[in-house]
Amino acid sequence: MKALVYHGPGKKQLDEMPKPALREATDAIVRMTRTTICGTDLHILKGDVATVAAGRILGHEGTGVIDEVGAGVSHFRKGDRVLISCITACGKCDYCRRGMPSHCESGGWILGNTIDGTQAEFVRIPFADTSLYPIPATVDEDAMVMLSDILPTGYECGVLNGAVKPGDTVALVGAGPVGLSALLTMQFFTPAKIIVIDLDDNRLEVAKKFGATATINSTDGKAVEKVMAMTDGKGVDVAIEAVGVAATFELCQEIIGAGGHIANIGVHGTGVTLHLEKLWSQNITITTRLVDAVTTPLLLKTVVAGKLKPLQLITHHFALKDILKAYDTFGNAGRERALKVILTND
Amino acid sequence: MKALVYHGPGKKQLDEMPKPALREATDAIVRMTRTTICGTDLHILKGDVATVAAGRILGHEGTGVIDEVGAGVSHFRKGDRVLISCITACGKCDYCRRGMPSHCESGGWILGNTIDGTQAEFVRIPFADTSLYPIPATVDEDAMVMLSDILPTGYECGVLNGAVKPGDTVALVGAGPVGLSALLTMQFFTPAKIIVIDLDDNRLEVAKKFGATATINSTDGKAVEKVMAMTDGKGVDVAIEAVGVAATFELCQEIIGAGGHIANIGVHGTGVTLHLEKLWSQNITITTRLVDAVTTPLLLKTVVAGKLKPLQLITHHFALKDILKAYDTFGNAGRERALKVILTND
Amino acid sequence: MKALVYHGPGKKQLDEMPKPALREATDAIVRMTRTTICGTDLHILKGDVATVAAGRILGHEGTGVIDEVGAGVSHFRKGDRVLISCITACGKCDYCRRGMPSHCESGGWILGNTIDGTQAEFVRIPFADTSLYPIPATVDEDAMVMLSDILPTGYECGVLNGAVKPGDTVALVGAGPVGLSALLTMQFFTPAKIIVIDLDDNRLEVAKKFGATATINSTDGKAVEKVMAMTDGKGVDVAIEAVGVAATFELCQEIIGAGGHIANIGVHGTGVTLHLEKLWSQNITITTRLVDAVTTPLLLKTVVAGKLKPLQLITHHFALKDILKAYDTFGNAGRERALKVILTND
Amino acid sequence: MKALVYHGPGKKQLDEMPKPALREATDAIVRMTRTTICGTDLHILKGDVATVAAGRILGHEGTGVIDEVGAGVSHFRKGDRVLISCITACGKCDYCRRGMPSHCESGGWILGNTIDGTQAEFVRIPFADTSLYPIPATVDEDAMVMLSDILPTGYECGVLNGAVKPGDTVALVGAGPVGLSALLTMQFFTPAKIIVIDLDDNRLEVAKKFGATATINSTDGKAVEKVMAMTDGKGVDVAIEAVGVAATFELCQEIIGAGGHIANIGVHGTGVTLHLEKLWSQNITITTRLVDAVTTPLLLKTVVAGKLKPLQLITHHFALKDILKAYDTFGNAGRERALKVILTND
């Protein structure tokens, strides 16, 4: 079968690879029909993610059709259309039972990381019963792909951890695909003001279409000043960091109001300065989270109900065989005005 | 009247000062019968707290008897025995209504800070109805003084913000009076293991008497290793920082388990490094808080019920006129094996 | 001044009454500019509310202008435009501090009940600082009147107590003004399905315009069957009772799913049967609540932000001097297709 | 093997039955070493539980040793000592994922109900990985048996659902084994006052030893009056119903304070009157729950830590072969002063 393989820092190829086979009774083999590329895949390709060995098939998102199931799989059978979660959950360990499968003792984020992933014609999914979801007949399959990772990530790490409430003023720092996922899903809780901050005017325009009530291009270094002016000098109730660099986490600390929440989504490569000399007395809550993807069933209900419209996150389509082109487009997201790209294998 | 007055960095005196008078309809004048000294008072005397001007009477804790009330005070009258909260709450502003009077628009921590405090024969208490509590007849007055600040601080900033639950493993870093207050009150929620870490063997001995299930003297730099050994390498559920320096906050980050809470109580003078490069994916919650003292009625109930025994926090007694000696003892807490000192003015 | 006065069961009159005067330092006198009539006023007129004595001026909703304040009022002054809360809160007692001013020891629902109310040219408001809200310049005054009682009632007793969550299926039983208030505000939390049940087709039509995803006229006795068909036989996540009779509470018990919430808003005159023989094992939560009106500031923010549009609840306008006509219209709500009526006194 | 078999209303026998065999890949066969009798078993024997057919082996509690596991069981192997949960959880269905395995689509309470149970030498446990727990070496096996059902039931249905908080006043109505389990575990949250109400002086004496701060024998019909006197006429914060008849649920309604919680544990055979005519305005929360047994790992930690001492719930021991005598003792609990009886099969 065809698959996108990582061959060490800077190197990837569309290779012919053996079709995966069942290993454990709880496995399923899924024939992929849709997949996509994540910002994390770009990090891997830079060599930033030490757990990914050369020879690994990348990808942790997508949809497909069940090709084969192990004897221990009870909820799916051959032919079922399924959504693949980026988080593999054994459903049995302490972490899974505490609702934190991101730290599952035998799962977590392993697809396209420590085991072969979804940017391929077939993929082996461990613990299929607790790591796959049936796709309702009425839902567009492209939309489903957005539920593999970015929508649960924006919702869980940004919106739920940020504890967005009706009437709140929320600042979202970073309007990439995950930030925009937080933007879409924070509206489940009806904040009064949503201020989106980014360096890219195109993304800020998209943010306005997606529901931002105000946008700030922070290139001029005046974002703090502007946010304070918009909040009568009190700062925001919730600041969501969706970039992953020190400067944006710093910004969140400067604009957060007393009693506020800073919800980190960004993947950070270095430490940051936490200004406890100022914040110790400000009744602040700061959260971090690797997505658990436990809200996937809930998000699916909101998609079926028409309350969440994931298709607007998708800007480009390619055939799976053209995945190198897709990487090129997604890797130059600014120039290409790309959000998410869909890879089709029908 | 006699009062302990701050005269600029390094200078304090027991001065003769005018007795305070009512200024607003919501004020009360309290004749002080007990007060104490807080670690914060020592910080003020070093010149670390910029809001305190020379000439200020220090102190934000204590008990007394109502001497006079303004026309707008409805819940107290002359002769009532009262507990003074370290937090003055107007009860009307947004912050007060949100349960966060630490940031009250016309109150907060003002006693012995921006207005004259309690280390005196009399004190003026603004917003008396919402900043004082009646003392039940059966309760020892010394015990009450511990409810002015340190017990609510340990409970709210450490235990409640740390979200201590039955069965948890909790690490308490710092066994000074406020840390010990967190130690006493965390037991309201029945953690399974309580590991107390400090540099002072005497304080660790006290911590054992107060309920610690294990203690670690971190002088040898092996605290992280020892905590990990005690938790099967998983780290703790809750880490409470009760010191206020970078090294102890660093320690909390190293011992916190996935999904854990770091609750900061310490007053920090500088920023610290937040290791987002490691913690971004660890589902951690970090909280800061200036005590709101909203749990004072609850704590009072637990004292009356005999579930919380504040007297064990008190090691020394002095007459108010000997307050300079009391400062000397409290300022050399290690040498004197001092926790809290009570100043009496009967 | 003119005022609507209750003269015993079945009797009301627009009388000339003395203008109220300040009694306590914390009082304000408000010149009424808008008021309305509540279903509760109709109950009073039937003689159902024992606490209301003959001679009482009715009404607990409205807006106005501050005419005079007592010495203890700090947040308002003559000329301020204000919203009157149906709940009077002292801000000091245990209940107020616990966020439950509905049971305030010296307040609660007293306006138009145990003290004179708002269906008059002037009204005395006790504890003005904690019982009135400033009206932002940009907001329509008619809209504000809906925040005195029905919107907080629908939101607190129905939506918050029902714990409506994104993706939920909610059944609302009763589409009168308070039920419709719950309907509008439950959408703050983005339920997937909203099923509204009533006996009146006109009200069901209104419910559809207000966001219901399905409506059921329960006249035919098949509501249970229909709800079960809409929920794959599982029942609903949340059932909100907004009528106040045994049959509708019974209906809620029949349609509630395992793990669900029944939130009672209705004012009940008799006991009902609780089917513990069936529900004991169904992990059900049932709540009751007299509105606390603690969410008024939050609701105000959502009105300012355009997320909540209260004007759609208003169907009729009258001058205050025509209040008897207004009662006639409101008292025949079905025939008149009336929801809320506004009484103006400019 | 020997097993206690139900032969229709009023009839039970210690029969020779075939040893159970694996049916599904996720099954385990457990050799029983300890079991016990539940009040529910007595109900079954009266013919009250329609789902139990004649020929059924009773029992849903106990400990044992793994004898054999199916191919899909990954967390246990032959020879492991295990605790059996009264709730069988598939770990995959919606209810299991929502933390509500009491309503598991293919599990729930099935042992000794719809499939053969634990009062036998061997038992088949479906979904073994998510329905069994390893027993730590240091823990007394008798103590473990109390974790199969009554301790999680008292804790989840009574204490957690009742939302017991530090400083609360709690009334426990019914001091049988499950009520006493609630009594022991509510102390995890340090209520200030615990009032236990029962008709049996012996049980009230036990309650005192277990931590009740006051007891009331309600035989004289003055329980309401006495509770009100103990609470300054305000009623209790939490009332836990642990009997299951109309009179005790009625009592809970009469003693509950404004804003309070009524947590039902009792198994009710008939409906009760809910006094909405009084409670509609009292901000009450009423909960029901079939135990989910999701807190078993937490309770186990508190047992290991010595914070919970289950052995005090055990009054009698029998060999499994003498189970008919054990039923006789347990069935005459008042006369025999019996709480829980342990059946041993070593």
Side-chain angles (χ1 to χ4, degrees):
Chain A
M1 67 169 191
K2 296 222 173 317
L4 191 285
V5 179
Y6 170 67
H7 289 287
K11 298 181 215 153
K12 62 177 180 293
Q13 255 176 232
L14 187 64
D15 288 343
E16 191 63 33
M17 297 285 283
K19 184 184 157 188
L22 296 173
R23 290 192 199 170
E24 307 286 339
T26 46
D27 286 353
I29 304 298
V30 176
R31 177 170 60 76
M32 297 300 302
T33 51
R34 296 281 185 289
T35 187
T36 183
I37 305 170
C38 181
T40 304
D41 297 323
L42 303 184
H43 280 293
I44 293 171
L45 285 166
K46 284 188 198 147
D48 287 353
V49 185
T51 47
V52 183
R56 175 70 60 234
I57 300 174
L58 298 186
H60 50 267
E61 299 165 277
T63 58
V65 176
I66 296 280
D67 190 60
E68 197 184 352
V69 295
V73 175
S74 54
H75 282 47
F76 296 100
R77 53 186 174 177
K78 191 177 162 77
D80 286 352
R81 292 171 69 222
V82 292
L83 165 66
I84 296 168
S85 178
C86 65
I87 295 297
T88 302
C90 79
K92 300 171 177 180
C93 72
D94 259 14
Y95 292 109
C96 281
R97 294 202 200 188
R98 286 163 58 187
M100 208 168 78
S102 56
H103 290 77
C104 172
E105 286 171 7
S106 37
W109 172 44
I110 56 175
L111 283 176
N113 177 6
T114 57
I115 68 171
D116 283 337
T118 59
Q119 293 170 4
E121 291 183 88
F122 292 89
V123 66
R124 180 180 69 90
I125 301 294
F127 308 112
D129 277 336
T130 39
S131 309
L132 296 174
Y133 294 91
I135 298 184
T138 57
V139 177
D140 184 288
E141 200 165 336
D142 286 2
M144 282 291 92
V145 179
M146 302 300 103
L147 291 186
S148 285
D149 181 346
I150 63 165
L151 282 165
T153 296
Y155 186 56
E156 295 177 7
C157 308
V159 178
L160 292 185
N161 272 17
V164 176
K165 296 183 309 297
D168 272 359
T169 296
V170 182
L172 170 66
V173 182
V178 170
L180 292 170
S181 295
L183 174 57
L184 290 175
T185 55
M186 75 174 63
Q187 295 174 64
F188 288 174
F189 296 105
T190 317
K193 295 183 192 171
I194 304 174
I195 306 166
V196 178
I197 303 168
D198 201 294
L199 297 164
D200 181 322
D201 280 330
N202 174 46
R203 290 195 158 177
L204 291 172
E205 241 174 82
V206 173
K208 273 216 166 146
K209 277 184 212 141
F210 282 23
T213 61
T215 57
I216 296 175
N217 186 315
S218 53
T219 312
D220 62 5
K222 294 189 177 162
V224 174
E225 198 179 312
K226 287 174 184 170
V227 172
M228 285 301 164
M230 289 171 180
T231 57
D232 301 325
K234 292 194 174 172
V236 300
D237 296 304
V238 182
I240 298 178
E241 206 282 354
V243 179
V245 299
T248 47
F249 194 83
E250 180 81 28
L251 174 57
C252 290
Q253 296 182 67
E254 293 182 69
I255 61 178
I256 194 69
H261 288 74
I262 299 176
N264 185 77
I265 312 180
V267 177
H268 291 258
T270 62
V272 300
T273 299
L274 178 64
H275 293 288
L276 281 181
E277 80 281 11
K278 175 192 157 200
L279 295 181
W280 75 268
S281 64
Q282 296 303 298
N283 301 36
I284 301 303
T285 302
I286 299 169
T287 55
T288 70
R289 187 169 182 179
L290 180 60
V291 64
D292 293 297
V294 288
T295 59
T296 306
L298 177 159
L299 292 169
L300 188 45
K301 283 186 202 172
T302 64
V303 173
V304 171
K307 308 286 184 186
L308 176 61
K309 298 181 193 306
L311 291 179
Q312 54 192 328
L313 288 162
I314 300 167
T315 51
H316 295 74
H317 284 79
F318 297 88
L320 178 60
K321 67 177 172 53
D322 298 323
I323 189 168
L324 294 174
K325 273 195 237 168
Y327 262 96
D328 189 56
T329 297
F330 186 68
N332 292 283
R335 189 189 67 200
E336 303 285 345
R337 302 202 165 193
L339 295 173
K340 291 293 277 185
V341 305
I342 288 284
L343 294 151
T344 303
N345 183 49
D346 284 323
Chain B
M1 67 170 191
K2 295 221 171 317
L4 192 284
V5 180
Y6 170 67
H7 288 286
K11 295 183 217 154
K12 63 178 180 292
Q13 252 175 238
L14 187 65
D15 288 344
E16 191 62 33
M17 296 285 283
K19 186 185 156 186
L22 297 173
R23 290 193 200 170
E24 307 286 338
T26 47
D27 287 352
I29 303 299
V30 176
R31 178 170 59 77
M32 298 300 302
T33 52
R34 298 278 186 289
T35 188
T36 183
I37 305 170
C38 181
T40 304
D41 296 324
L42 303 184
H43 280 294
I44 293 171
L45 284 167
K46 283 188 198 146
D48 287 353
V49 185
T51 46
V52 184
R56 175 70 59 235
I57 299 174
L58 298 186
H60 49 268
E61 299 165 277
T63 58
V65 177
I66 296 280
D67 190 60
E68 198 183 352
V69 295
V73 175
S74 55
H75 283 47
F76 296 100
R77 51 185 174 176
K78 190 176 164 77
D80 286 352
R81 291 170 70 222
V82 291
L83 165 66
I84 296 167
S85 178
C86 66
I87 296 297
T88 301
C90 79
K92 301 172 177 179
C93 72
D94 260 14
Y95 291 109
C96 280
R97 294 203 200 188
R98 286 164 58 189
M100 208 167 77
S102 58
H103 290 75
C104 171
E105 286 172 6
S106 38
W109 172 45
I110 56 173
L111 282 178
N113 177 5
T114 57
I115 67 170
D116 283 335
T118 59
Q119 293 170 3
E121 291 183 85
F122 292 89
V123 65
R124 181 180 68 91
I125 302 293
F127 307 112
D129 277 335
T130 40
S131 308
L132 295 174
Y133 294 91
I135 299 184
T138 57
V139 178
D140 183 291
E141 200 165 335
D142 285 3
M144 282 293 91
V145 178
M146 303 298 102
L147 291 186
S148 285
D149 180 347
I150 64 167
L151 282 165
T153 297
Y155 186 57
E156 295 176 8
C157 308
V159 177
L160 293 185
N161 272 18
V164 175
K165 296 183 308 296
D168 272 1
T169 296
V170 182
L172 170 66
V173 182
V178 170
L180 292 170
S181 295
L183 175 56
L184 290 175
T185 54
M186 74 174 64
Q187 295 174 65
F188 288 173
F189 295 103
T190 317
K193 294 183 193 172
I194 304 172
I195 305 167
V196 178
I197 304 168
D198 200 296
L199 298 164
D200 179 323
D201 279 331
N202 174 46
R203 289 194 158 178
L204 291 172
E205 241 173 80
V206 173
K208 274 218 166 145
K209 278 186 212 140
F210 282 23
T213 61
T215 57
I216 296 174
N217 186 316
S218 54
T219 312
D220 63 5
K222 295 187 177 163
V224 174
E225 197 178 311
K226 287 174 184 171
V227 171
M228 285 300 164
M230 289 172 180
T231 57
D232 300 325
K234 292 194 173 172
V236 299
D237 298 304
V238 183
I240 298 178
E241 207 280 355
V243 179
V245 300
T248 47
F249 194 84
E250 181 81 28
L251 174 57
C252 290
Q253 295 183 68
E254 292 183 67
I255 61 178
I256 195 70
H261 288 74
I262 299 177
N264 185 77
I265 311 181
V267 177
H268 290 257
T270 61
V272 301
T273 299
L274 178 64
H275 293 287
L276 281 181
E277 79 281 11
K278 174 193 158 200
L279 296 182
W280 75 268
S281 64
Q282 296 303 297
N283 302 36
I284 301 301
T285 302
I286 299 169
T287 55
T288 69
R289 187 171 184 178
L290 179 60
V291 64
D292 292 297
V294 289
T295 59
T296 305
L298 177 159
L299 292 169
L300 188 46
K301 283 187 201 172
T302 66
V303 172
V304 171
K307 307 288 184 186
L308 175 61
K309 298 181 194 306
L311 290 179
Q312 53 192 329
L313 288 162
I314 300 168
T315 52
H316 295 75
H317 284 79
F318 297 89
L320 178 61
K321 68 179 169 55
D322 298 323
I323 189 168
L324 294 174
K325 273 194 237 169
Y327 262 95
D328 189 57
T329 297
F330 186 69
N332 292 283
R335 188 189 69 199
E336 302 287 343
R337 304 204 162 192
L339 295 173
K340 290 293 277 187
V341 305
I342 288 283
L343 294 150
T344 304
N345 182 46
D346 285 324
Chain C
M1 65 171 193
K2 295 221 171 318
L4 192 284
V5 180
Y6 171 67
H7 289 286
K11 297 181 215 154
K12 62 178 181 292
Q13 254 176 237
L14 186 64
D15 288 343
E16 192 63 31
M17 296 286 281
K19 185 184 157 189
L22 296 174
R23 289 192 201 171
E24 306 286 337
T26 46
D27 285 353
I29 303 299
V30 176
R31 178 170 58 78
M32 298 301 301
T33 51
R34 297 279 185 289
T35 188
T36 182
I37 304 169
C38 180
T40 305
D41 297 324
L42 302 184
H43 279 294
I44 293 171
L45 284 167
K46 283 189 198 144
D48 287 354
V49 185
T51 46
V52 184
R56 175 71 59 236
I57 299 174
L58 298 187
H60 50 268
E61 299 165 278
T63 57
V65 176
I66 296 280
D67 191 59
E68 196 183 353
V69 295
V73 175
S74 55
H75 283 47
F76 296 99
R77 52 185 174 177
K78 189 175 165 79
D80 287 353
R81 291 171 70 222
V82 292
L83 165 66
I84 296 167
S85 177
C86 66
I87 295 297
T88 302
C90 79
K92 301 173 178 179
C93 72
D94 260 14
Y95 292 108
C96 280
R97 295 203 200 188
R98 287 164 58 187
M100 208 166 78
S102 57
H103 290 75
C104 171
E105 286 171 6
S106 37
W109 171 45
I110 56 174
L111 284 176
N113 177 4
T114 57
I115 67 171
D116 283 336
T118 58
Q119 293 170 3
E121 292 184 85
F122 292 89
V123 65
R124 181 180 67 92
I125 302 295
F127 308 111
D129 277 335
T130 40
S131 308
L132 296 175
Y133 294 92
I135 298 184
T138 57
V139 177
D140 184 290
E141 200 165 335
D142 285 4
M144 282 293 91
V145 178
M146 303 297 103
L147 292 186
S148 285
D149 180 347
I150 63 166
L151 282 166
T153 296
Y155 186 57
E156 296 176 8
C157 309
V159 178
L160 293 185
N161 272 18
V164 176
K165 294 183 311 295
D168 272 0
T169 296
V170 182
L172 170 66
V173 183
V178 169
L180 292 170
S181 296
L183 175 56
L184 291 175
T185 55
M186 74 173 64
Q187 295 173 67
F188 289 173
F189 296 104
T190 317
K193 295 184 192 172
I194 303 173
I195 306 166
V196 178
I197 303 167
D198 201 294
L199 297 164
D200 180 323
D201 279 329
N202 174 46
R203 290 195 158 178
L204 291 172
E205 241 174 80
V206 173
K208 274 217 166 145
K209 279 185 211 141
F210 282 23
T213 61
T215 58
I216 297 173
N217 187 316
S218 54
T219 311
D220 63 5
K222 294 188 178 163
V224 174
E225 197 178 312
K226 288 174 183 171
V227 171
M228 285 301 164
M230 290 172 179
T231 57
D232 301 325
K234 291 194 173 172
V236 299
D237 298 304
V238 183
I240 297 178
E241 207 281 355
V243 179
V245 302
T248 47
F249 194 84
E250 182 82 28
L251 174 56
C252 290
Q253 296 183 70
E254 291 183 70
I255 61 177
I256 195 71
H261 288 74
I262 299 176
N264 185 77
I265 311 181
V267 177
H268 291 258
T270 62
V272 301
T273 298
L274 177 65
H275 293 287
L276 280 182
E277 80 282 10
K278 174 192 159 203
L279 296 181
W280 75 268
S281 65
Q282 295 304 297
N283 302 34
I284 301 302
T285 302
I286 300 170
T287 54
T288 70
R289 187 170 183 179
L290 179 60
V291 65
D292 293 297
V294 288
T295 59
T296 306
L298 178 158
L299 293 168
L300 188 46
K301 283 186 201 173
T302 65
V303 172
V304 171
K307 308 287 184 186
L308 177 60
K309 299 182 194 305
L311 290 179
Q312 55 192 326
L313 288 163
I314 300 167
T315 51
H316 295 74
H317 285 79
F318 296 89
L320 178 60
K321 66 179 172 54
D322 298 323
I323 189 166
L324 294 173
K325 274 196 236 167
Y327 262 96
D328 189 56
T329 297
F330 186 69
N332 292 283
R335 188 190 68 199
E336 303 286 342
R337 303 203 164 193
L339 295 173
K340 291 292 277 188
V341 305
I342 288 283
L343 294 151
T344 303
N345 183 47
D346 287 323
Chain D
M1 66 170 192
K2 297 221 170 317
L4 192 284
V5 180
Y6 170 68
H7 289 287
K11 296 182 216 154
K12 63 177 179 292
Q13 253 175 235
L14 186 64
D15 287 343
E16 192 63 32
M17 297 286 282
K19 185 185 158 188
L22 296 173
R23 290 192 198 170
E24 307 287 338
T26 46
D27 285 354
I29 304 298
V30 176
R31 176 170 60 77
M32 297 300 302
T33 52
R34 298 279 185 290
T35 188
T36 183
I37 305 169
C38 181
T40 304
D41 297 324
L42 303 183
H43 279 294
I44 293 170
L45 285 166
K46 284 188 198 147
D48 288 352
V49 184
T51 47
V52 184
R56 176 69 60 236
I57 300 175
L58 298 187
H60 50 267
E61 299 164 278
T63 57
V65 176
I66 297 281
D67 191 59
E68 198 184 351
V69 296
V73 175
S74 55
H75 283 47
F76 296 99
R77 52 186 174 178
K78 190 178 164 78
D80 286 353
R81 293 170 67 222
V82 292
L83 165 66
I84 296 167
S85 179
C86 65
I87 295 297
T88 301
C90 78
K92 301 172 177 180
C93 71
D94 259 14
Y95 292 110
C96 281
R97 295 202 199 188
R98 287 164 56 188
M100 208 167 79
S102 57
H103 290 76
C104 172
E105 285 171 7
S106 38
W109 171 45
I110 57 174
L111 284 177
N113 176 7
T114 58
I115 67 172
D116 283 336
T118 59
Q119 293 170 4
E121 292 183 87
F122 292 89
V123 66
R124 181 180 69 90
I125 302 294
F127 307 111
D129 277 335
T130 39
S131 308
L132 296 174
Y133 294 91
I135 298 184
T138 57
V139 176
D140 186 288
E141 199 164 335
D142 286 2
M144 283 292 91
V145 179
M146 303 299 103
L147 292 186
S148 286
D149 180 347
I150 62 165
L151 282 166
T153 297
Y155 186 56
E156 296 176 7
C157 308
V159 178
L160 292 185
N161 272 17
V164 176
K165 295 183 311 297
D168 272 0
T169 295
V170 181
L172 170 66
V173 182
V178 170
L180 291 169
S181 295
L183 175 56
L184 290 175
T185 55
M186 75 174 62
Q187 294 174 65
F188 289 174
F189 296 104
T190 317
K193 294 184 193 171
I194 304 173
I195 305 166
V196 178
I197 304 167
D198 201 294
L199 297 164
D200 179 324
D201 279 329
N202 174 46
R203 291 196 157 177
L204 290 173
E205 242 174 80
V206 173
K208 273 216 165 147
K209 278 185 210 142
F210 282 23
T213 60
T215 58
I216 296 174
N217 187 314
S218 54
T219 313
D220 62 5
K222 294 189 178 162
V224 174
E225 195 179 315
K226 287 174 184 172
V227 171
M228 285 301 165
M230 290 172 179
T231 56
D232 300 326
K234 292 192 174 174
V236 300
D237 297 304
V238 183
I240 298 178
E241 206 281 355
V243 180
V245 300
T248 47
F249 194 83
E250 180 82 28
L251 174 56
C252 290
Q253 296 183 69
E254 292 182 68
I255 62 177
I256 195 69
H261 289 73
I262 299 177
N264 185 77
I265 311 181
V267 177
H268 291 258
T270 60
V272 301
T273 299
L274 178 64
H275 293 287
L276 280 182
E277 80 282 10
K278 175 193 157 198
L279 296 181
W280 75 269
S281 64
Q282 296 303 297
N283 301 37
I284 301 302
T285 302
I286 300 170
T287 55
T288 70
R289 186 170 183 179
L290 180 58
V291 65
D292 293 295
V294 288
T295 59
T296 306
L298 177 159
L299 292 169
L300 187 47
K301 283 186 202 173
T302 65
V303 172
V304 171
K307 308 286 184 188
L308 176 60
K309 299 181 193 306
L311 291 179
Q312 54 191 327
L313 287 163
I314 301 167
T315 51
H316 295 74
H317 285 79
F318 297 88
L320 179 60
K321 67 179 171 54
D322 298 323
I323 189 167
L324 294 174
K325 272 194 239 169
Y327 263 96
D328 189 55
T329 297
F330 186 70
N332 292 282
R335 187 189 69 200
E336 302 287 342
R337 302 202 164 193
L339 295 173
K340 290 292 278 186
V341 305
I342 288 284
L343 293 150
T344 303
N345 182 47
D346 286 322

